[in-house]
PDB file of all heavy atoms in Angstrom:
ATOM      1  N   ILE A  89      -0.422  27.871 -15.560  1.00 94.00           N
ATOM      2  CA  ILE A  89       0.437  27.606 -14.301  1.00 94.00           C
ATOM      3  C   ILE A  89      -0.140  28.295 -13.158  1.00 94.00           C
ATOM      4  O   ILE A  89      -0.091  27.733 -12.078  1.00 94.00           O
ATOM      5  CB  ILE A  89       1.879  28.187 -14.546  1.00 94.00           C
ATOM      6  CG1 ILE A  89       2.485  27.577 -15.918  1.00 94.00           C
ATOM      7  CG2 ILE A  89       2.732  27.903 -13.407  1.00 94.00           C
ATOM      8  CD1 ILE A  89       3.321  26.475 -15.767  1.00 94.00           C
ATOM      9  N   GLY A 136      -9.161  14.088 -10.535  1.00 94.00           N
ATOM     10  CA  GLY A 136      -8.561  13.966 -11.790  1.00 94.00           C
ATOM     11  C   GLY A 136      -9.250  14.748 -12.936  1.00 94.00           C
ATOM     12  O   GLY A 136      -8.461  15.276 -13.815  1.00 94.00           O
ATOM     13  N   ALA A 139      -8.101  18.277 -12.542  1.00 96.00           N
ATOM     14  CA  ALA A 139      -6.723  18.391 -13.044  1.00 96.00           C
ATOM     15  C   ALA A 139      -6.638  18.451 -14.460  1.00 96.00           C
ATOM     16  O   ALA A 139      -5.984  19.280 -15.156  1.00 96.00           O
ATOM     17  CB  ALA A 139      -5.840  17.234 -12.434  1.00 96.00           C
ATOM     18  N   GLU A 140      -7.375  17.516 -15.168  1.00 97.00           N
ATOM     19  CA  GLU A 140      -7.351  17.343 -16.565  1.00 97.00           C
ATOM     20  C   GLU A 140      -7.892  18.659 -17.276  1.00 97.00           C
ATOM     21  O   GLU A 140      -7.289  19.065 -18.252  1.00 97.00           O
ATOM     22  CB  GLU A 140      -8.167  16.151 -17.009  1.00 97.00           C
ATOM     23  CG  GLU A 140      -8.113  15.975 -18.518  1.00 97.00           C
ATOM     24  CD  GLU A 140      -8.390  14.436 -18.830  1.00 97.00           C
ATOM     25  OE1 GLU A 140      -8.449  13.665 -17.963  1.00 97.00           O
ATOM     26  OE2 GLU A 140      -8.543  14.268 -20.057  1.00 97.00           O
ATOM     27  N   GLY A 142      -7.661  21.683 -16.060  1.00 96.00           N
ATOM     28  CA  GLY A 142      -6.658  22.748 -15.894  1.00 96.00           C
ATOM     29  C   GLY A 142      -5.510  22.440 -16.876  1.00 96.00           C
ATOM     30  O   GLY A 142      -5.111  23.357 -17.564  1.00 96.00           O
ATOM     31  N   VAL A 143      -5.093  21.181 -17.003  1.00 97.00           N
ATOM     32  CA  VAL A 143      -4.021  20.823 -17.910  1.00 97.00           C
ATOM     33  C   VAL A 143      -4.481  21.164 -19.415  1.00 97.00           C
ATOM     34  O   VAL A 143      -3.711  21.626 -20.118  1.00 97.00           O
ATOM     35  CB  VAL A 143      -3.679  19.306 -17.730  1.00 97.00           C
ATOM     36  CG1 VAL A 143      -2.765  18.853 -18.915  1.00 97.00           C
ATOM     37  CG2 VAL A 143      -2.950  19.189 -16.404  1.00 97.00           C
ATOM     38  N   ALA A 144      -5.752  20.787 -19.668  1.00 97.00           N
ATOM     39  CA  ALA A 144      -6.192  20.958 -21.078  1.00 97.00           C
ATOM     40  C   ALA A 144      -6.181  22.464 -21.386  1.00 97.00           C
ATOM     41  O   ALA A 144      -5.766  22.850 -22.482  1.00 97.00           O
ATOM     42  CB  ALA A 144      -7.532  20.403 -21.258  1.00 97.00           C
ATOM     43  N   LEU A 146      -4.040  24.687 -20.178  1.00 95.00           N
ATOM     44  CA  LEU A 146      -2.756  25.044 -20.364  1.00 95.00           C
ATOM     45  C   LEU A 146      -2.221  24.595 -21.794  1.00 95.00           C
ATOM     46  O   LEU A 146      -1.540  25.320 -22.442  1.00 95.00           O
ATOM     47  CB  LEU A 146      -1.871  24.364 -19.269  1.00 95.00           C
ATOM     48  CG  LEU A 146      -0.356  24.543 -19.364  1.00 95.00           C
ATOM     49  CD1 LEU A 146       0.048  25.937 -18.978  1.00 95.00           C
ATOM     50  CD2 LEU A 146       0.304  23.516 -18.552  1.00 95.00           C
ATOM     51  N   MET A 147      -2.542  23.391 -22.131  1.00 96.00           N
ATOM     52  CA  MET A 147      -2.171  22.826 -23.397  1.00 96.00           C
ATOM     53  C   MET A 147      -2.706  23.636 -24.580  1.00 96.00           C
ATOM     54  O   MET A 147      -2.074  23.877 -25.635  1.00 96.00           O
ATOM     55  CB  MET A 147      -2.481  21.386 -23.453  1.00 96.00           C
ATOM     56  CG  MET A 147      -1.940  20.488 -22.329  1.00 96.00           C
ATOM     57  SD  MET A 147      -0.198  20.173 -22.535  1.00 96.00           S
ATOM     58  CE  MET A 147      -0.317  18.771 -23.628  1.00 96.00           C
ATOM     59  N   ALA A 150      -0.986  26.636 -25.361  1.00 94.00           N
ATOM     60  CA  ALA A 150       0.287  26.296 -26.126  1.00 94.00           C
ATOM     61  C   ALA A 150      -0.051  25.633 -27.550  1.00 94.00           C
ATOM     62  O   ALA A 150       0.941  25.309 -28.232  1.00 94.00           O
ATOM     63  CB  ALA A 150       1.164  25.380 -25.298  1.00 94.00           C
ATOM     64  N   ASN A 152      -1.630  22.842 -28.198  1.00 96.00           N
ATOM     65  CA  ASN A 152      -1.614  21.399 -28.175  1.00 96.00           C
ATOM     66  C   ASN A 152      -2.937  20.841 -27.687  1.00 96.00           C
ATOM     67  O   ASN A 152      -3.390  21.168 -26.569  1.00 96.00           O
ATOM     68  CB  ASN A 152      -0.490  20.891 -27.328  1.00 96.00           C
ATOM     69  CG  ASN A 152      -0.275  19.327 -27.428  1.00 96.00           C
ATOM     70  OD1 ASN A 152      -1.279  18.597 -27.709  1.00 96.00           O
ATOM     71  ND2 ASN A 152       0.931  18.937 -27.321  1.00 96.00           N
ATOM     72  N   ASP A 154      -3.740  17.324 -28.313  1.00 97.00           N
ATOM     73  CA  ASP A 154      -3.655  15.905 -28.404  1.00 97.00           C
ATOM     74  C   ASP A 154      -4.173  15.248 -27.125  1.00 97.00           C
ATOM     75  O   ASP A 154      -3.668  15.570 -26.031  1.00 97.00           O
ATOM     76  CB  ASP A 154      -2.166  15.506 -28.630  1.00 97.00           C
ATOM     77  CG  ASP A 154      -1.966  14.018 -28.853  1.00 97.00           C
ATOM     78  OD1 ASP A 154      -2.010  13.234 -27.852  1.00 97.00           O
ATOM     79  OD2 ASP A 154      -1.872  13.465 -29.953  1.00 97.00           O
ATOM     80  N   GLU A 155      -5.090  14.318 -27.230  1.00 97.00           N
ATOM     81  CA  GLU A 155      -5.648  13.709 -26.109  1.00 97.00           C
ATOM     82  C   GLU A 155      -4.732  12.979 -25.171  1.00 97.00           C
ATOM     83  O   GLU A 155      -4.760  13.052 -23.925  1.00 97.00           O
ATOM     84  CB  GLU A 155      -6.792  12.827 -26.459  1.00 97.00           C
ATOM     85  CG  GLU A 155      -8.076  13.533 -26.735  1.00 97.00           C
ATOM     86  CD  GLU A 155      -9.259  12.533 -26.758  1.00 97.00           C
ATOM     87  OE1 GLU A 155      -9.259  11.482 -25.992  1.00 97.00           O
ATOM     88  OE2 GLU A 155     -10.271  12.739 -27.416  1.00 97.00           O
ATOM     89  N   LEU A 156      -3.808  12.172 -25.795  1.00 98.00           N
ATOM     90  CA  LEU A 156      -2.945  11.404 -24.994  1.00 98.00           C
ATOM     91  C   LEU A 156      -1.899  12.331 -24.315  1.00 98.00           C
ATOM     92  O   LEU A 156      -1.458  12.071 -23.316  1.00 98.00           O
ATOM     93  CB  LEU A 156      -2.166  10.388 -25.930  1.00 98.00           C
ATOM     94  CG  LEU A 156      -2.966   9.134 -26.268  1.00 98.00           C
ATOM     95  CD1 LEU A 156      -2.291   8.266 -27.245  1.00 98.00           C
ATOM     96  CD2 LEU A 156      -3.364   8.460 -24.987  1.00 98.00           C
ATOM     97  N   ASP A 157      -1.511  13.401 -25.010  1.00 98.00           N
ATOM     98  CA  ASP A 157      -0.551  14.373 -24.391  1.00 98.00           C
ATOM     99  C   ASP A 157      -1.277  14.871 -23.076  1.00 98.00           C
ATOM    100  O   ASP A 157      -0.666  15.025 -22.126  1.00 98.00           O
ATOM    101  CB  ASP A 157      -0.289  15.529 -25.420  1.00 98.00           C
ATOM    102  CG  ASP A 157       0.825  15.086 -26.393  1.00 98.00           C
ATOM    103  OD1 ASP A 157       1.242  13.922 -26.380  1.00 98.00           O
ATOM    104  OD2 ASP A 157       1.274  15.983 -27.199  1.00 98.00           O
ATOM    105  N   ILE A 158      -2.534  15.299 -23.239  1.00 98.00           N
ATOM    106  CA  ILE A 158      -3.212  15.807 -22.094  1.00 98.00           C
ATOM    107  C   ILE A 158      -3.274  14.741 -21.020  1.00 98.00           C
ATOM    108  O   ILE A 158      -3.040  15.122 -19.866  1.00 98.00           O
ATOM    109  CB  ILE A 158      -4.614  16.304 -22.490  1.00 98.00           C
ATOM    110  CG1 ILE A 158      -4.505  17.510 -23.499  1.00 98.00           C
ATOM    111  CG2 ILE A 158      -5.380  16.659 -21.294  1.00 98.00           C
ATOM    112  CD1 ILE A 158      -5.820  17.974 -24.031  1.00 98.00           C
ATOM    113  N   ALA A 159      -3.559  13.556 -21.293  1.00 98.00           N
ATOM    114  CA  ALA A 159      -3.726  12.540 -20.392  1.00 98.00           C
ATOM    115  C   ALA A 159      -2.334  12.379 -19.588  1.00 98.00           C
ATOM    116  O   ALA A 159      -2.244  12.282 -18.354  1.00 98.00           O
ATOM    117  CB  ALA A 159      -4.111  11.256 -21.003  1.00 98.00           C
ATOM    118  N   ALA A 160      -1.229  12.290 -20.355  1.00 98.00           N
ATOM    119  CA  ALA A 160       0.063  12.103 -19.807  1.00 98.00           C
ATOM    120  C   ALA A 160       0.436  13.254 -18.879  1.00 98.00           C
ATOM    121  O   ALA A 160       0.966  13.072 -17.775  1.00 98.00           O
ATOM    122  CB  ALA A 160       1.152  11.893 -20.886  1.00 98.00           C
ATOM    123  N   MET A 161       0.097  14.453 -19.421  1.00 98.00           N
ATOM    124  CA  MET A 161       0.449  15.717 -18.577  1.00 98.00           C
ATOM    125  C   MET A 161      -0.377  15.650 -17.300  1.00 98.00           C
ATOM    126  O   MET A 161       0.159  16.155 -16.238  1.00 98.00           O
ATOM    127  CB  MET A 161       0.202  16.862 -19.454  1.00 98.00           C
ATOM    128  CG  MET A 161       0.610  18.194 -18.815  1.00 98.00           C
ATOM    129  SD  MET A 161       2.475  18.464 -18.843  1.00 98.00           S
ATOM    130  CE  MET A 161       2.583  20.055 -19.428  1.00 98.00           C
ATOM    131  N   THR A 162      -1.579  15.259 -17.420  1.00 98.00           N
ATOM    132  CA  THR A 162      -2.417  15.275 -16.199  1.00 98.00           C
ATOM    133  C   THR A 162      -1.761  14.314 -15.188  1.00 98.00           C
ATOM    134  O   THR A 162      -1.655  14.555 -13.955  1.00 98.00           O
ATOM    135  CB  THR A 162      -3.847  14.796 -16.550  1.00 98.00           C
ATOM    136  OG1 THR A 162      -4.399  15.720 -17.485  1.00 98.00           O
ATOM    137  CG2 THR A 162      -4.715  14.693 -15.257  1.00 98.00           C
ATOM    138  N   SER A 163      -1.363  13.122 -15.596  1.00 98.00           N
ATOM    139  CA  SER A 163      -0.733  12.173 -14.745  1.00 98.00           C
ATOM    140  C   SER A 163       0.456  12.808 -14.078  1.00 98.00           C
ATOM    141  O   SER A 163       0.818  12.578 -12.826  1.00 98.00           O
ATOM    142  CB  SER A 163      -0.435  10.925 -15.606  1.00 98.00           C
ATOM    143  OG  SER A 163       0.395  10.083 -14.876  1.00 98.00           O
ATOM    144  N   VAL A 164       1.276  13.512 -14.956  1.00 98.00           N
ATOM    145  CA  VAL A 164       2.496  14.159 -14.388  1.00 98.00           C
ATOM    146  C   VAL A 164       2.170  15.185 -13.324  1.00 98.00           C
ATOM    147  O   VAL A 164       2.710  15.246 -12.320  1.00 98.00           O
ATOM    148  CB  VAL A 164       3.322  14.782 -15.549  1.00 98.00           C
ATOM    149  CG1 VAL A 164       4.377  15.681 -14.933  1.00 98.00           C
ATOM    150  CG2 VAL A 164       3.954  13.692 -16.459  1.00 98.00           C
ATOM    151  N   TRP A 165       1.096  15.956 -13.680  1.00 98.00           N
ATOM    152  CA  TRP A 165       0.776  17.005 -12.633  1.00 98.00           C
ATOM    153  C   TRP A 165       0.377  16.382 -11.397  1.00 98.00           C
ATOM    154  O   TRP A 165       0.768  16.812 -10.267  1.00 98.00           O
ATOM    155  CB  TRP A 165      -0.347  17.853 -13.248  1.00 98.00           C
ATOM    156  CG  TRP A 165      -1.112  18.644 -12.298  1.00 98.00           C
ATOM    157  CD1 TRP A 165      -2.382  18.583 -11.851  1.00 98.00           C
ATOM    158  CD2 TRP A 165      -0.539  19.776 -11.469  1.00 98.00           C
ATOM    159  NE1 TRP A 165      -2.715  19.456 -10.878  1.00 98.00           N
ATOM    160  CE2 TRP A 165      -1.523  20.270 -10.560  1.00 98.00           C
ATOM    161  CE3 TRP A 165       0.715  20.412 -11.421  1.00 98.00           C
ATOM    162  CZ2 TRP A 165      -1.411  21.320  -9.715  1.00 98.00           C
ATOM    163  CZ3 TRP A 165       0.898  21.378 -10.490  1.00 98.00           C
ATOM    164  CH2 TRP A 165      -0.154  21.837  -9.674  1.00 98.00           C
ATOM    165  N   LEU A 166      -0.539  15.325 -11.387  1.00 97.00           N
ATOM    166  CA  LEU A 166      -0.966  14.674 -10.209  1.00 97.00           C
ATOM    167  C   LEU A 166       0.312  14.117  -9.434  1.00 97.00           C
ATOM    168  O   LEU A 166       0.355  14.109  -8.196  1.00 97.00           O
ATOM    169  CB  LEU A 166      -2.015  13.619 -10.468  1.00 97.00           C
ATOM    170  CG  LEU A 166      -3.328  14.093 -10.919  1.00 97.00           C
ATOM    171  CD1 LEU A 166      -4.290  12.921 -11.342  1.00 97.00           C
ATOM    172  CD2 LEU A 166      -3.959  14.864  -9.758  1.00 97.00           C
ATOM    173  N   GLY A 167       1.234  13.577 -10.250  1.00 97.00           N
ATOM    174  CA  GLY A 167       2.466  13.060  -9.524  1.00 97.00           C
ATOM    175  C   GLY A 167       3.265  14.207  -8.951  1.00 97.00           C
ATOM    176  O   GLY A 167       3.831  13.900  -7.981  1.00 97.00           O
ATOM    177  N   ILE A 168       3.310  15.360  -9.495  1.00 98.00           N
ATOM    178  CA  ILE A 168       4.026  16.484  -8.928  1.00 98.00           C
ATOM    179  C   ILE A 168       3.360  16.797  -7.613  1.00 98.00           C
ATOM    180  O   ILE A 168       3.908  16.909  -6.469  1.00 98.00           O
ATOM    181  CB  ILE A 168       3.922  17.680  -9.834  1.00 98.00           C
ATOM    182  CG1 ILE A 168       4.861  17.437 -11.020  1.00 98.00           C
ATOM    183  CG2 ILE A 168       4.446  18.921  -9.081  1.00 98.00           C
ATOM    184  CD1 ILE A 168       4.842  18.496 -12.139  1.00 98.00           C
TER     185      ILE A 168
ATOM    186  N   ILE B 168       7.914  12.908 -11.188  1.00 98.00           N
ATOM    187  CA  ILE B 168       7.633  13.076 -12.583  1.00 98.00           C
ATOM    188  C   ILE B 168       7.973  11.794 -13.391  1.00 98.00           C
ATOM    189  O   ILE B 168       7.218  11.268 -14.126  1.00 98.00           O
ATOM    190  CB  ILE B 168       8.326  14.262 -13.124  1.00 98.00           C
ATOM    191  CG1 ILE B 168       7.719  15.520 -12.596  1.00 98.00           C
ATOM    192  CG2 ILE B 168       8.218  14.319 -14.733  1.00 98.00           C
ATOM    193  CD1 ILE B 168       8.431  16.925 -13.011  1.00 98.00           C
ATOM    194  N   SER B 171       5.561   9.124 -12.487  1.00 98.00           N
ATOM    195  CA  SER B 171       4.233   9.234 -13.153  1.00 98.00           C
ATOM    196  C   SER B 171       4.325   8.747 -14.691  1.00 98.00           C
ATOM    197  O   SER B 171       3.447   8.153 -15.089  1.00 98.00           O
ATOM    198  CB  SER B 171       3.891  10.753 -13.233  1.00 98.00           C
ATOM    199  OG  SER B 171       3.952  11.358 -11.918  1.00 98.00           O
ATOM    200  N   LEU B 172       5.382   9.198 -15.338  1.00 98.00           N
ATOM    201  CA  LEU B 172       5.585   8.846 -16.608  1.00 98.00           C
ATOM    202  C   LEU B 172       5.675   7.325 -16.765  1.00 98.00           C
ATOM    203  O   LEU B 172       5.045   6.827 -17.724  1.00 98.00           O
ATOM    204  CB  LEU B 172       6.770   9.586 -17.258  1.00 98.00           C
ATOM    205  CG  LEU B 172       6.510  11.072 -17.509  1.00 98.00           C
ATOM    206  CD1 LEU B 172       7.860  11.726 -17.829  1.00 98.00           C
ATOM    207  CD2 LEU B 172       5.558  11.296 -18.638  1.00 98.00           C
ATOM    208  N   TRP B 175       2.229   5.850 -16.219  1.00 98.00           N
ATOM    209  CA  TRP B 175       1.430   6.043 -17.379  1.00 98.00           C
ATOM    210  C   TRP B 175       1.813   5.190 -18.572  1.00 98.00           C
ATOM    211  O   TRP B 175       0.948   4.649 -19.177  1.00 98.00           O
ATOM    212  CB  TRP B 175       1.530   7.613 -17.801  1.00 98.00           C
ATOM    213  CG  TRP B 175       0.504   7.999 -18.752  1.00 98.00           C
ATOM    214  CD1 TRP B 175      -0.715   8.519 -18.451  1.00 98.00           C
ATOM    215  CD2 TRP B 175       0.605   8.014 -20.184  1.00 98.00           C
ATOM    216  NE1 TRP B 175      -1.391   8.807 -19.609  1.00 98.00           N
ATOM    217  CE2 TRP B 175      -0.577   8.558 -20.743  1.00 98.00           C
ATOM    218  CE3 TRP B 175       1.595   7.637 -21.056  1.00 98.00           C
ATOM    219  CZ2 TRP B 175      -0.946   8.691 -22.073  1.00 98.00           C
ATOM    220  CZ3 TRP B 175       1.348   7.808 -22.447  1.00 98.00           C
ATOM    221  CH2 TRP B 175       0.174   8.344 -22.948  1.00 98.00           C
ATOM    222  N   MET B 187       7.101   7.929 -26.481  1.00 98.00           N
ATOM    223  CA  MET B 187       7.150   8.498 -25.241  1.00 98.00           C
ATOM    224  C   MET B 187       8.146   9.714 -25.149  1.00 98.00           C
ATOM    225  O   MET B 187       7.830  10.751 -24.564  1.00 98.00           O
ATOM    226  CB  MET B 187       7.565   7.496 -24.104  1.00 98.00           C
ATOM    227  CG  MET B 187       6.561   6.540 -23.730  1.00 98.00           C
ATOM    228  SD  MET B 187       4.927   7.207 -23.165  1.00 98.00           S
ATOM    229  CE  MET B 187       5.453   7.848 -21.483  1.00 98.00           C
ATOM    230  N   ARG B 190       6.635  12.586 -26.923  1.00 98.00           N
ATOM    231  CA  ARG B 190       5.563  13.162 -26.178  1.00 98.00           C
ATOM    232  C   ARG B 190       6.124  14.090 -25.066  1.00 98.00           C
ATOM    233  O   ARG B 190       5.647  15.219 -24.838  1.00 98.00           O
ATOM    234  CB  ARG B 190       4.742  12.083 -25.524  1.00 98.00           C
ATOM    235  CG  ARG B 190       3.495  12.544 -24.813  1.00 98.00           C
ATOM    236  CD  ARG B 190       2.703  11.349 -24.243  1.00 98.00           C
ATOM    237  NE  ARG B 190       2.450  10.334 -25.185  1.00 98.00           N
ATOM    238  CZ  ARG B 190       1.438  10.466 -26.215  1.00 98.00           C
ATOM    239  NH1 ARG B 190       0.840  11.599 -26.388  1.00 98.00           N
ATOM    240  NH2 ARG B 190       1.284   9.372 -27.048  1.00 98.00           N
ATOM    241  N   CYS B 191       7.254  13.622 -24.379  1.00 98.00           N
ATOM    242  CA  CYS B 191       7.845  14.482 -23.403  1.00 98.00           C
ATOM    243  C   CYS B 191       8.328  15.721 -23.930  1.00 98.00           C
ATOM    244  O   CYS B 191       8.255  16.755 -23.248  1.00 98.00           O
ATOM    245  CB  CYS B 191       8.999  13.647 -22.682  1.00 98.00           C
ATOM    246  SG  CYS B 191       8.409  12.389 -21.618  1.00 98.00           S
ATOM    247  N   GLY B 192       8.862  15.706 -25.138  1.00 97.00           N
ATOM    248  CA  GLY B 192       9.317  16.891 -25.757  1.00 97.00           C
ATOM    249  C   GLY B 192       8.133  17.862 -25.964  1.00 97.00           C
ATOM    250  O   GLY B 192       8.299  19.111 -25.670  1.00 97.00           O
ATOM    251  N   ARG B 193       6.965  17.415 -26.386  1.00 97.00           N
ATOM    252  CA  ARG B 193       5.889  18.200 -26.635  1.00 97.00           C
ATOM    253  C   ARG B 193       5.336  18.791 -25.306  1.00 97.00           C
ATOM    254  O   ARG B 193       4.944  19.985 -25.214  1.00 97.00           O
ATOM    255  CB  ARG B 193       4.756  17.514 -27.302  1.00 97.00           C
ATOM    256  CG  ARG B 193       5.032  17.109 -28.752  1.00 97.00           C
ATOM    257  CD  ARG B 193       3.766  16.721 -29.489  1.00 97.00           C
ATOM    258  NE  ARG B 193       3.152  15.500 -28.896  1.00 97.00           N
ATOM    259  CZ  ARG B 193       3.450  14.258 -29.199  1.00 97.00           C
ATOM    260  NH1 ARG B 193       4.450  14.049 -30.048  1.00 97.00           N
ATOM    261  NH2 ARG B 193       2.869  13.306 -28.639  1.00 97.00           N
ATOM    262  N   LEU B 194       5.296  17.916 -24.234  1.00 97.00           N
ATOM    263  CA  LEU B 194       4.861  18.405 -22.875  1.00 97.00           C
ATOM    264  C   LEU B 194       5.674  19.615 -22.410  1.00 97.00           C
ATOM    265  O   LEU B 194       5.236  20.570 -21.860  1.00 97.00           O
ATOM    266  CB  LEU B 194       4.822  17.269 -21.998  1.00 97.00           C
ATOM    267  CG  LEU B 194       3.923  16.070 -22.231  1.00 97.00           C
ATOM    268  CD1 LEU B 194       3.866  15.124 -21.016  1.00 97.00           C
ATOM    269  CD2 LEU B 194       2.531  16.607 -22.605  1.00 97.00           C
ATOM    270  N   LEU B 195       7.017  19.425 -22.557  1.00 96.00           N
ATOM    271  CA  LEU B 195       7.961  20.437 -22.155  1.00 96.00           C
ATOM    272  C   LEU B 195       7.694  21.834 -22.975  1.00 96.00           C
ATOM    273  O   LEU B 195       7.640  22.875 -22.363  1.00 96.00           O
ATOM    274  CB  LEU B 195       9.336  20.040 -22.393  1.00 96.00           C
ATOM    275  CG  LEU B 195      10.550  20.834 -21.737  1.00 96.00           C
ATOM    276  CD1 LEU B 195      10.265  20.644 -20.243  1.00 96.00           C
ATOM    277  CD2 LEU B 195      11.799  20.310 -22.195  1.00 96.00           C
ATOM    278  N   THR B 196       7.468  21.651 -24.239  1.00 94.00           N
ATOM    279  CA  THR B 196       7.186  22.859 -24.979  1.00 94.00           C
ATOM    280  C   THR B 196       5.883  23.443 -24.512  1.00 94.00           C
ATOM    281  O   THR B 196       5.807  24.717 -24.340  1.00 94.00           O
ATOM    282  CB  THR B 196       6.965  22.394 -26.508  1.00 94.00           C
ATOM    283  OG1 THR B 196       8.159  21.741 -26.928  1.00 94.00           O
ATOM    284  CG2 THR B 196       6.669  23.567 -27.363  1.00 94.00           C
ATOM    285  N   ALA B 197       4.890  22.746 -24.315  1.00 94.00           N
ATOM    286  CA  ALA B 197       3.635  23.166 -23.814  1.00 94.00           C
ATOM    287  C   ALA B 197       3.755  23.897 -22.483  1.00 94.00           C
ATOM    288  O   ALA B 197       3.240  25.090 -22.270  1.00 94.00           O
ATOM    289  CB  ALA B 197       2.549  22.051 -23.688  1.00 94.00           C
ATOM    290  N   LEU B 198       4.566  23.361 -21.591  1.00 92.00           N
ATOM    291  CA  LEU B 198       4.851  24.065 -20.305  1.00 92.00           C
ATOM    292  C   LEU B 198       5.453  25.332 -20.558  1.00 92.00           C
ATOM    293  O   LEU B 198       5.074  26.290 -19.838  1.00 92.00           O
ATOM    294  CB  LEU B 198       5.663  23.125 -19.486  1.00 92.00           C
ATOM    295  CG  LEU B 198       6.018  23.484 -18.070  1.00 92.00           C
ATOM    296  CD1 LEU B 198       4.690  23.464 -17.286  1.00 92.00           C
ATOM    297  CD2 LEU B 198       7.032  22.732 -17.444  1.00 92.00           C
ATOM    298  N   PHE B 199       6.368  25.482 -21.358  1.00 88.00           N
ATOM    299  CA  PHE B 199       7.122  26.731 -21.469  1.00 88.00           C
ATOM    300  C   PHE B 199       6.360  27.682 -22.409  1.00 88.00           C
ATOM    301  O   PHE B 199       6.628  28.886 -22.174  1.00 88.00           O
ATOM    302  CB  PHE B 199       8.583  26.548 -22.095  1.00 88.00           C
ATOM    303  CG  PHE B 199       9.550  26.025 -20.971  1.00 88.00           C
ATOM    304  CD1 PHE B 199       9.770  24.669 -20.768  1.00 88.00           C
ATOM    305  CD2 PHE B 199      10.118  26.951 -20.194  1.00 88.00           C
ATOM    306  CE1 PHE B 199      10.632  24.236 -19.764  1.00 88.00           C
ATOM    307  CE2 PHE B 199      11.018  26.591 -19.227  1.00 88.00           C
ATOM    308  CZ  PHE B 199      11.237  25.233 -18.946  1.00 88.00           C
ATOM    309  N   GLY B 200       5.533  27.150 -23.157  1.00 78.00           N
ATOM    310  CA  GLY B 200       4.782  28.102 -24.074  1.00 78.00           C
ATOM    311  C   GLY B 200       3.461  28.488 -23.585  1.00 78.00           C
ATOM    312  O   GLY B 200       2.781  29.361 -24.110  1.00 78.00           O
ATOM    313  N   GLY B 201       2.970  27.658 -22.571  1.00 63.00           N
ATOM    314  CA  GLY B 201       1.468  27.843 -22.292  1.00 63.00           C
ATOM    315  C   GLY B 201       1.041  28.798 -21.188  1.00 63.00           C
ATOM    316  O   GLY B 201       0.015  29.350 -21.256  1.00 63.00           O
TER     317      GLY B 201
END
Side-chain angles (χ1 to χ4, degrees):
Chain A
I89 305 263
E140 182 155 351
V143 166
L146 174 75
M147 301 285 277
N152 183 332
D154 183 281
E155 274 193 31
L156 283 175
D157 279 4
I158 293 175
M161 186 72 131
T162 301
S163 169
V164 166
W165 165 246
L166 289 173
I168 289 174
Chain B
I168 290 174
S171 312
L172 287 168
W175 191 87
M187 284 303 286
R190 189 177 308 286
C191 288
R193 289 195 302 274
L194 296 188
L195 192 64
T196 302
L198 184 66
F199 280 94

